[in-house]
Amino acid sequence: MILTAQVSMLLYNHQFIFVTYMRAYTINIVAIDRTHHGIHPRADIVDLEAQLTAETARCNELRLSGAPLDESRKTLPELKKALALVAWRARRGRTRRRRKTCFTTFGGACLDTPVFERKDVLTDKYGEDAKLIFDLMDQGGEQLALRYDHTVPLARYLAMNDDTVTQSKLWQIGKGRMREFMQAVFDISGTWDPMIPDTELLSLLSTILSRLDVGEFTIKLNHRKILDGIFEVCSVPSAKIHSISSAVDKMDKLPWSEVKKEMMEEKGLDGAIADEIGEYVKHKGGPELLAQLEADATLTANKSTKQGLSDMTILFTLLEAYTFIDKISFDLSLARGLDYYTGIIYEAIVEASAPPTEPTKRKSTTPDNDEKEIDESQVAVGSIAAGGRYDGLVGAFLAGAAGADPASKEGRKAMGPRGGVPCVGVSIGRDSRGGWTKETMVFVLSAGDGLLKERVGLVSELRAVGIKVRLVTGE
């Protein structure tokens, strides 16, 4: 039984950690586990399976007796189609419930942003991906566009409520991009202890993928400041950094030779500089790679890289407390092409979505067999989730509302002392209101400084048994 006291204290390693409870609960570990894994009977599926079995038996009897099979041959495919549809809807429902449960377990509140935005809200935010925005025009002639993702609409919402939103955890589920696939997103905004929101989102992503039974998965992560610093050290012109970053981001789909060719022929980069970049971005690993980069005097002399390495040091320390560091791959080739990312970036891949190490080829049907094409069964589908930190996006909206450039003195004044609202988010691919959710049960905080790793460990243990928890840090 959790105590009904408004505030209780837990003795953790001989020091007190405060835990605030909103109400009393009796915890049945088995019941929570089953509920959170969506174990529910599916009577409609059982009924359809029974009908299909009976119809199959009837079809066999008719075949043996030599009777006409026209009606049965029509009924069997319809039953199979209906069963497949019901089973798909059941899986989708379970997936949706598990995802929402994880969102609320991590203290999130639901937000609903519009499918349409003014075109000027969406432009200049996506870099080379801007070509995927679907333009529209309303009856009054105003230029509109379908939202490309949920991040820019959320930043616009936060900018509109800058005076009232200090810290928030918001989730959305809806359609994004012109291809109309569904996205489930979770964003943390406001001022927190360093790297806590970033680690929380990585923990959320790991929890969701584990509960969805997607199989073995890997969360690749990098830091845009480290990557930008590498480009600066390699003498990439500042005007080309974003375009070169987009090229590097294709290394999970193309061999290095093709990426280098794009850098040189399409982006106009010198071949020697491309080779120098290649020596860095080919590396991947864990804390040992971080130590290797910290030992590189050339990199650590760069201000951008030094800040990124400092963030990653804090992150890996926290990841050890969250106990899923074995799922993490520090990958210097990960770039995330969207222009608004400013810090940590990450994406999740499963075995089926990862690119093959040696794509098999099949011969073309042309007589000379000069052309070959990739076997479609070996083509990767890409990441199933991705995200990152975008600290400057809300500030850009605040500066824009004041009619100023974010880099100008007037723009910085409009963004305020915080430079806007720091944000980090994750989006999980799938076939409105801000604030604190009323469903949060437990708040974990410390009366003073320190005990951060201990609090993170406690939060992880509580969430593992299905208790909704919010980690309170910062101001």
Side-chain angles (χ1 to χ4, degrees):
M1 171 74 72
I2 294 181
L3 298 178
T4 56
Q6 185 68 25
V7 178
S8 300
M9 290 186 293
L10 296 183
L11 186 62
Y12 197 101
N13 288 344
H14 306 290
Q15 299 189 61
F16 285 107
I17 297 176
F18 284 85
V19 181
T20 306
Y21 303 100
M22 294 187 68
R23 54 177 76 93
Y25 287 89
T26 301
I27 300 178
N28 183 319
I29 301 300
V30 175
I32 287 177
D33 186 68
R34 287 180 177 173
T35 300
H36 281 242
H37 285 75
I39 301 175
H40 301 291
R42 299 293 177 191
D44 45 0
I45 293 180
V46 173
D47 182 56
L48 283 170
E49 287 176 340
Q51 292 182 49
L52 182 59
T53 301
E55 187 61 33
T56 301
R58 176 172 172 269
C59 182
N60 290 334
E61 291 176 0
L62 292 174
R63 183 181 290 108
L64 292 173
S65 65
L69 297 174
D70 295 347
E71 182 181 349
S72 185
R73 284 175 174 170
K74 180 181 179 181
T75 304
L76 272 175
E78 291 176 351
L79 285 172
K80 291 178 179 178
K81 181 179 179 180
L83 178 60
L85 180 60
V86 170
W88 173 76
R89 286 176 174 170
R91 287 194 301 272
R92 186 177 64 172
R94 286 195 299 272
T95 298
R96 185 185 296 114
R97 285 192 299 273
R98 292 177 186 180
R99 190 164 31 233
K100 287 185 178 179
T101 297
C102 289
F103 286 167
T104 56
T105 298
F106 276 71
C110 184
L111 175 72
D112 189 14
T113 55
V115 175
F116 297 100
E117 292 280 356
R118 292 203 322 267
K119 185 178 179 181
D120 63 287
V121 169
L122 300 179
T123 52
D124 302 323
K125 307 296 192 305
Y126 299 110
E128 294 186 356
D129 282 356
K131 59 181 177 290
L132 299 178
I133 295 177
F134 191 82
D135 294 345
L136 298 166
M137 184 180 292
D138 70 4
Q139 292 180 349
E142 186 175 27
Q143 291 288 334
L144 303 175
L146 284 176
R147 65 186 179 199
Y148 178 77
D149 59 13
H150 291 79
T151 303
V152 173
L154 171 65
R156 189 256 313 149
Y157 163 82
L158 292 173
M160 293 173 64
N161 296 275
D162 181 55
D163 294 335
T164 59
V165 177
T166 55
Q167 287 185 346
S168 68
K169 291 185 173 183
L170 301 172
W171 59 269
Q172 305 177 67
I173 296 179
K175 293 180 178 180
R177 305 184 185 235
M178 60 180 294
R179 287 173 288 180
E180 291 290 282
F181 69 82
M182 300 294 286
Q183 296 175 335
V185 301
F186 193 103
D187 294 85
I188 302 178
S189 64
T191 304
W192 306 70
D193 283 356
M195 303 309 292
I196 281 291
D198 312 74
T199 319
E200 281 270 277
L201 285 181
L202 290 172
S203 177
L204 169 66
L205 178 56
S206 177
T207 300
I208 289 178
L209 296 181
S210 297
R211 293 188 178 181
L212 292 181
D213 298 324
V214 298
E216 288 298 318
F217 63 88
T218 299
I219 301 175
K220 302 194 299 182
L221 63 86
N222 198 4
H223 200 295
R224 281 296 282 265
K225 289 185 178 179
I226 294 177
L227 196 61
D228 289 349
I230 288 174
F231 294 151
E232 291 172 4
V233 167
C234 295
S235 302
V236 176
S238 58
K240 293 182 180 292
I241 285 181
H242 280 172
S243 63
I244 296 302
S245 179
S246 296
V248 169
D249 198 43
K250 299 175 182 178
M251 285 183 62
D252 63 338
K253 305 177 184 68
L254 298 173
W256 168 248
S257 59
E258 292 295 321
V259 174
K260 178 183 176 181
K261 182 179 179 181
E262 178 179 331
M263 288 182 179
M264 296 171 60
E265 297 184 1
E266 296 183 25
K267 316 296 185 184
L269 191 68
D270 182 83
I273 295 177
D275 287 332
E276 193 173 353
I277 292 172
E279 290 301 311
Y280 280 110
V281 298
K282 68 181 181 182
H283 292 292
K284 62 183 65 177
E288 72 284 352
L289 176 56
L290 179 61
Q292 178 183 335
L293 296 177
E294 288 176 329
D296 188 326
T298 304
L299 281 182
T300 54
N302 180 272
K303 182 179 178 180
S304 177
T305 303
K306 187 176 181 179
Q307 179 60 56
L309 292 174
S310 176
D311 288 346
M312 293 295 284
T313 299
I314 299 172
L315 180 71
F316 273 111
T317 300
L318 294 174
L319 287 176
E320 292 177 357
Y322 274 98
T323 69
F324 63 91
I325 195 169
D326 60 306
K327 301 292 186 183
I328 299 296
S329 173
F330 184 13
D331 190 335
L332 291 179
S333 70
L334 180 63
R336 304 290 302 150
L338 302 180
D339 283 356
Y340 52 65
Y341 286 127
T342 59
I344 184 176
I345 49 177
Y346 42 83
E347 64 181 31
I349 59 172
V350 295
E351 185 176 357
S353 72
T357 54
E358 296 182 1
T360 48
K361 303 278 186 176
R362 64 166 181 253
K363 291 184 178 181
S364 171
T365 54
T366 56
D368 55 13
N369 286 330
D370 287 337
E371 297 292 330
K372 294 184 178 181
E373 54 183 313
I374 297 175
D375 184 349
E376 292 180 359
S377 66
Q378 297 294 316
V379 175
V381 299
S383 61
I384 60 173
R389 176 163 286 280
Y390 52 102
D391 287 347
L393 193 53
V394 177
F397 278 111
L398 293 172
D405 187 315
S408 67
K409 182 178 179 180
E410 293 76 12
R412 290 192 296 271
K413 182 179 179 180
M415 290 188 288
R418 296 184 299 167
V421 181
C423 299
V424 61
V426 63
S427 173
I428 304 167
R430 58 169 289 236
D431 177 45
S432 32
R433 297 288 184 266
W436 291 61
T437 171
K438 296 180 180 179
E439 295 182 350
T440 300
M441 298 179 188
V442 179
F443 295 84
V444 178
L445 58 132
S446 176
D449 294 334
L451 293 176
L452 186 57
K453 288 185 65 175
E454 289 80 3
R455 281 182 281 153
V456 166
L458 177 59
V459 165
S460 185
E461 291 178 20
L462 292 173
R463 286 174 178 160
V465 295
I467 300 174
K468 296 177 174 63
V469 183
R470 180 151 184 164
L471 176 63
V472 180
T473 69
E475 298 177 356

